[in-house]
Amino acid sequence: MQLSQWTGDITTFEGDVLVLGRFEDSQASSAETSVDEALGGALTAATQRLLFKGKPRQTVAVDTLGRLGAGRIVLLGLGKEEQLGVSGLRDFAALAVNAALSGRYKSLGVIAPTSNPNDAMQLALGAELGTYRFNDLQNEPEDAPYASIDALTLIGTDVGESVLEAANAIASSVNLARTLTNEPANVCTPERFEALAREISSAPGFELTVLDRAEIIARGMGGIQGVSRGATREPRFIHMSYTPTSGEPAAEIALVGKGLTFDSGGLSIKPAKGMEDMYIDMAGAAAVFGAMSIVARLQPNVAVHGIVGACENMTGPDAYRPSDVLTMYSGKTVEVLNTDAEGRLVLADCLHHAASLKPDCIIDLATLTGACVVALGPNYAGLFSDNDELAERLLTAAEGAGESLWRMPLDPKLCEALNSKRADITNLGGRYGGAITAAHFLHHFKGEGPWAHMDIAGPVLAAKDDGYIRAGGTGYAVMTLWSFIESNG
Ligand code: BES
Ligand code: ZN
Ligand code: ZN
């Protein structure tokens, strides 16, 4: 999709579709009025017939039959002006491109509802995120070969090429994370992550370390080793390291992602219903790859580490057992009481490695607990941190990125839920507060510096298409992470 900008007399805009927005209960804009005049009042007639009030998602469409440069006019409701946030702008653009797609049109112009440059960026993001389809594994995808727009023109904005370039880098990275999440476990494997890490790390400023099973064992990464023992597919420990190619980095950040390419539960096996979706248990890693792919393209003046622990949790003959005691990379011992609480074991080794780099902060992302989804519902991720300043900065980043994030307490009283008679700690908390006890477990391995943990089990998967969000993997947290990285620069 070619993205460009245009300012000029709206009636002369040449393209298949011209999209206008109207705020709820407000008058037609001057652009809408001139379009309506050129059409001899046909647009007004249609809005009246359809009781168009500008409510979100309300749509009116008319053909221009050669009376305007554009072939078809689409008028979309924007909702209340004061409620139009980043998500509203993205949804508007997504609805616009999907309206064009469903008519199998190839080019469209969208009139920006505001003149704010960040809003233009959100429109571009919404358009690219809204046209995302996961059909790589279909021989005859339903809407291909039509499911592509050749050209999108933002009308009435004038924001410099670099803003559009940044929007494209961000949107394609969110879509990359969506694809990684959507891919089944026989496609998205630890080896695929390695290949992707090599591709991302070919950008300036990158170094890459990848450890295979033998090296993971040799280094004493007992968490990753234990969890991956039941799987034939080899685990990978991946560390992408980016340092700006010129000047001192303004900060150094470590991102850590849970990359369980499949979680059967292991010997504490999941019931069939609970296992179906467990190909998404690498969405934390997907967020880290998405963020690193933006870093590779936009080269911020912040040093960023992307660390991923990737493996399958399976039930093979050598699988780790409930009751096993693992010696972790940090040296701590863990009594395994449930092999389905595997994410924290993999993350523990990754966190210990991240801590050894002594970054300014560590942020880990994981589809860690069903309990977090029970607590917050499917749309919010839970944020846990021992550092109020870092927590506040992440909440601000999430807000700016249009992603829902809610801080949860690291209740000190729940710490003892992990007490073990046979080892330093167990991997299983008590009956209540499962997302909190999981966070406490991670806390044992995060080292001395500021740390935050995002339990993203809920928002990484969407049940249905909704504006710029598409059913399936959402790419959640990529935009929050980028917005956080930028705030350090
Ligand atoms: N990957 C799951 C958590 C999960 C559940 C993610 C639902 C997405 C949707 C995790 O490894 C897990 O199985 N957690 C257990 C922990 C329990 C055994 C302490 C859970 O949440 O039930
Ligand atoms: Zn599990
Ligand atoms: Zn898991």
Side-chain angles (χ1 to χ4, degrees):
M1 182 162 60
Q2 190 63 42
L3 202 59
S4 61
Q5 299 176 93
W6 187 76
T7 41
D9 174 6
I10 204 67
T11 57
T12 66
F13 173 76
E14 302 265 342
D16 294 339
V17 183
L18 173 63
V19 182
L20 308 99
R22 200 203 288 175
F23 288 109
E24 194 165 338
D25 295 326
S26 70
Q27 301 299 313
S29 63
S30 61
E32 189 184 331
T33 307
S34 28
V35 164
D36 188 49
E37 275 167 15
L39 293 176
L43 187 56
T44 299
T47 57
Q48 288 173 352
R49 192 173 66 248
L50 293 165
L51 305 175
F52 180 84
K53 295 277 187 299
K55 288 193 197 302
R57 273 151 239 250
Q58 262 192 315
T59 309
V60 173
V62 292
D63 276 315
T64 65
L65 304 174
R67 283 184 286 185
L68 278 166
R72 190 171 169 81
I73 303 296
V74 174
L75 176 64
L76 292 176
L78 285 162
K80 298 248 190 277
E81 185 162 7
E82 62 280 10
Q83 282 171 13
L84 184 82
V86 290
S87 301
L89 284 158
R90 290 179 196 157
D91 286 346
F92 169 66
L95 248 55
V97 287
N98 279 314
L101 273 178
S102 62
R104 299 186 175 180
Y105 295 109
K106 284 294 183 190
S107 68
L108 77 157
V110 176
I111 302 182
T114 72
S115 55
N116 178 331
N118 182 52
D119 288 0
M121 157 86 107
Q122 300 306 332
L123 292 176
L125 284 176
E128 298 212 38
L129 296 173
T131 48
Y132 174 82
R133 300 288 186 276
F134 179 65
N135 51 22
D136 304 5
L137 305 176
Q138 287 176 316
N139 282 306
E140 289 173 37
E142 198 185 324
D143 42 10
Y146 306 102
S148 70
I149 296 285
D150 292 339
L152 167 65
T153 308
L154 298 179
I155 301 173
T157 68
D158 185 14
V159 291
E161 214 28 59
S162 66
V163 173
L164 299 188
E165 169 64 22
N168 179 264
I170 295 167
S172 39
S173 302
V174 174
N175 286 338
L176 166 68
R178 290 173 167 186
T179 293
L180 294 172
T181 306
N182 286 332
E183 282 174 354
N186 61 329
V187 173
C188 185
T189 62
E191 277 185 41
R192 171 178 186 353
F193 281 155
E194 173 175 358
L196 177 61
R198 292 203 185 282
E199 201 181 308
I200 291 172
S201 303
S202 66
F206 273 81
E207 275 178 43
L208 175 67
T209 310
V210 180
L211 307 182
D212 64 13
R213 194 188 310 259
E215 291 160 322
I216 285 167
I217 295 173
R219 301 254 179 140
M221 297 180 162
I224 305 178
Q225 184 199 350
V227 172
S228 64
R229 260 173 42 190
T232 306
R233 248 182 251 286
E234 284 224 1
R236 290 288 185 270
F237 172 84
I238 297 168
H239 176 183
M240 298 161 273
S241 161
Y242 165 80
T243 322
T245 50
S246 64
E248 266 296 295
E252 185 173 351
I253 299 167
L255 308 177
V256 171
K258 169 176 173 181
L260 264 289
T261 56
F262 194 73
D263 178 14
S264 72
L267 290 174
S268 314
I269 196 165
K270 288 180 183 293
K273 259 274 147 268
M275 205 189 293
E276 246 167 44
D277 281 345
M278 282 303 125
Y279 63 92
I280 61 89
D281 212 17
M282 34 50 68
V288 171
F289 280 116
M292 294 313 281
S293 131
I294 304 177
V295 167
R297 266 186 67 183
L298 300 184
Q299 302 271 310
N301 68 335
V302 177
V304 189
H305 301 276
I307 298 164
V308 164
C311 66
E312 286 184 346
N313 185 20
M314 300 293 280
T315 58
D318 196 33
Y320 77 141
R321 292 157 287 256
S323 79
D324 278 0
V325 174
L326 305 177
T327 301
M328 311 293 280
Y329 190 29
S330 77
K332 276 202 175 132
T333 57
V334 176
E335 178 185 22
V336 176
L337 289 181
N338 189 315
T339 62
D340 198 10
E342 84 299 336
R344 61 197 74 180
L345 299 169
V346 169
L347 283 174
D349 287 352
C350 296
L351 285 171
H352 181 70
H353 176 77
S356 75
L357 305 167
K358 305 229 177 300
D360 296 316
C361 65
I362 302 176
I363 303 164
D364 79 68
L365 302 108
T367 47
L368 203 62
T369 66
C372 198
V373 192
V374 172
L376 293 176
N379 304 315
Y380 272 79
L383 173 67
F384 299 83
S385 181
D386 55 356
N387 185 294
D388 291 343
E389 191 199 329
L390 177 59
E392 282 306 320
R393 291 182 56 211
L394 276 166
L395 291 171
T396 304
E399 167 124 42
E403 294 182 318
S404 305
L405 181 64
W406 196 260
R407 188 160 182 196
M408 301 278 279
L410 268 170
D411 179 1
K413 288 190 173 159
L414 283 189
C415 204
E416 45 196 68
L418 299 171
N419 288 350
S420 166
K421 292 213 164 58
R422 304 196 298 144
D424 295 337
I425 50 173
T426 78
N427 75 332
L428 188 65
R431 172 108 171 68
Y432 299 111
I436 298 174
T437 48
H440 270 305
F441 183 93
L442 300 179
H443 192 264
H444 282 276
F445 300 90
K446 64 100 201 179
E448 297 302 317
W451 156 82
H453 155 59
M454 288 170 66
D455 192 331
I456 60 176
V460 296
L461 205 57
K464 56 176 174 53
D465 294 341
D466 182 14
Y468 76 93
I469 291 174
R470 305 290 306 174
T474 58
Y476 181 88
V478 173
M479 292 189 283
T480 295
L481 290 176
W482 174 247
S483 143
F484 178 77
I485 291 167
E486 264 196 313
S487 77
N488 283 267

